[in-house]
Amino acid sequence: MTESDALAVRMFWQPLGLPGLFDVHTHFLPPNIERRVWAQFDDAGPKIGRPWPIRYRQAAADRVDLLRRFGVRRFSSLPYSHKPGIAAHLNDWARGFASDVTESIWSATFYPEPEAAAYVEALVADGVEVFKVHVQVGEFRLDDPLLDPVWGTLADAGIPVVIHASAAPVGNAFTGPEPLERVLDRHPRLTVIVAHLGAPDYLAFCDLAARFERVHLDTTMVFTDFWEASYPAGLTARLRDLQDRVLLGSDFPTIPYPYAHQLEGLARLDLGDEWLRDVCWHNGHRLFGMRR
């Protein structure tokens, strides 16, 4: 399976003349937490809402090797805190992962807790490259007052934060574009990557990207057969207009189809090879660069 998967991925990016792929949305977690997350997918838990078979269940080292065989030149680990008091453990583990895996985008997370401002500031000073927050899982307000100094630190430093604010796969009181809009109104220079194109509120999140110059959108799982049967009219045109702000994301390894399937979905949009080159490599490279 894995060798045919790798061949299909390489056959996508090589004809585009790219050096590989730049995937800003992949996950590597501490093994004990990863097992619990995968169990939620296996059980189609309340935040998953549907059967979701995980295709890539190999050990972490084998998954790193597989991404390398795919030709993914940079990828993230994106831990995310689901409750207070866990961010430090996740961040320590992710620091070690980034040290061991040269292609890794050094990732970290935070949660609305009194210590957040201090540990985020320390991580930024140490050179962390990206943060991840997941309000659909963590059930917290993006505009919680405890996070205001965090957003200020990240806006000043220009460190991107991947935000799962979308109501997919199952929405709750904390998802949707409005909380993020309130944060951006207060911190308009914040560098944001909206996960899953903000599904299902695609156009509203596109509006935020058009209004705030540092807001980006990632393609994670969108335009696959697994995701949605239809999309709002005008979405493709909006993605063409936002060509320099759309980034490849995959959600590897917790995807229920071959990695190449999402790439094929992006190609089916028929936005042209230059759009694919920007999305699959140039935009990510411009935002993060390569590890020295």
Side-chain angles (χ1 to χ4, degrees):
M1 175 186 75
T2 56
E3 192 51 47
S4 61
D5 284 9
L7 178 61
V9 175
R10 293 196 301 269
M11 289 180 65
F12 171 84
W13 60 261
Q14 287 174 341
L16 291 170
L18 294 176
L21 298 174
F22 209 117
D23 189 339
V24 303
H25 195 139
T26 65
H27 291 288
F28 290 87
L29 299 168
N32 61 322
I33 294 176
E34 189 169 69
R35 286 192 294 270
R36 294 174 199 162
V37 170
W38 287 7
Q40 290 294 310
F41 283 90
D42 291 341
D43 295 341
K47 295 184 186 300
I48 308 300
R50 61 186 292 188
W52 197 301
I54 297 170
R55 184 172 180 88
Y56 299 106
R57 287 182 178 269
Q58 298 92 333
D62 294 329
R63 280 181 272 136
V64 168
D65 179 67
L66 183 55
L67 287 172
R68 288 169 175 163
R69 284 191 280 148
F70 286 173
V72 181
R73 298 283 305 281
R74 293 217 70 191
F75 49 86
S76 50
S77 60
L78 296 190
Y80 49 92
S81 298
H82 64 288
K83 62 182 180 180
I86 196 173
H89 170 61
L90 289 167
N91 292 339
D92 287 346
W93 186 91
R95 181 192 291 263
F97 181 83
S99 178
D100 293 339
V101 180
T102 57
E103 300 93 337
S104 174
I105 304 170
W106 180 7
S107 308
T109 188
F110 53 86
Y111 196 86
E113 51 194 348
E115 307 85 357
Y119 65 68
V120 167
E121 186 172 353
L123 283 161
V124 168
D126 286 346
V128 74
E129 296 178 275
V130 67
F131 285 85
K132 168 69 184 287
V133 293
H134 199 318
V135 300
Q136 191 250 0
V137 170
E139 297 186 341
F140 62 88
R141 291 170 46 211
L142 287 173
D143 57 345
D144 187 302
L146 287 169
L147 292 181
D148 193 61
V150 171
W151 300 129
T153 294
L154 297 181
D156 290 343
I159 304 296
V161 53
V162 176
I163 299 179
H164 186 132
S166 76
V170 178
N172 58 34
F174 304 93
T175 56
E178 293 84 3
L180 179 57
E181 184 174 20
R182 291 194 292 270
V183 170
L184 289 166
D185 281 338
R186 185 167 176 80
H187 302 280
R189 300 289 291 168
L190 186 66
T191 303
V192 172
I193 302 171
V194 176
H196 303 281
L197 297 183
D201 298 305
Y202 301 103
L203 298 183
F205 281 102
C206 284
D207 287 342
L208 291 182
R211 180 179 165 201
F212 296 97
E213 64 178 337
R214 292 189 178 182
V215 172
H216 303 71
L217 308 161
D218 82 35
T219 66
T220 303
M221 298 193 74
V222 185
F223 308 117
T224 65
D225 294 342
F226 182 79
W227 196 244
E228 292 193 59
S230 62
Y231 296 88
L235 176 58
T236 301
R238 299 299 301 277
L239 296 179
R240 180 187 293 110
D241 293 341
L242 292 166
Q243 178 170 329
D244 64 339
R245 238 89 64 69
V246 182
L247 302 162
L248 175 66
S250 68
D251 242 352
F252 176 94
T254 47
I255 50 177
Y257 45 73
Y259 187 100
H261 178 56
Q262 172 160 11
L263 302 174
E264 295 159 356
L266 297 178
R268 284 196 298 270
L269 297 177
D270 199 25
L271 289 172
D273 287 353
E274 285 303 315
W275 188 87
L276 289 173
R277 292 185 187 103
D278 280 353
V279 170
C280 294
W281 179 262
H282 294 301
N283 294 342
H285 187 271
R286 184 162 48 246
L287 194 59
F288 292 103
M290 303 299 287
R291 289 281 289 273
R292 293 184 177 84

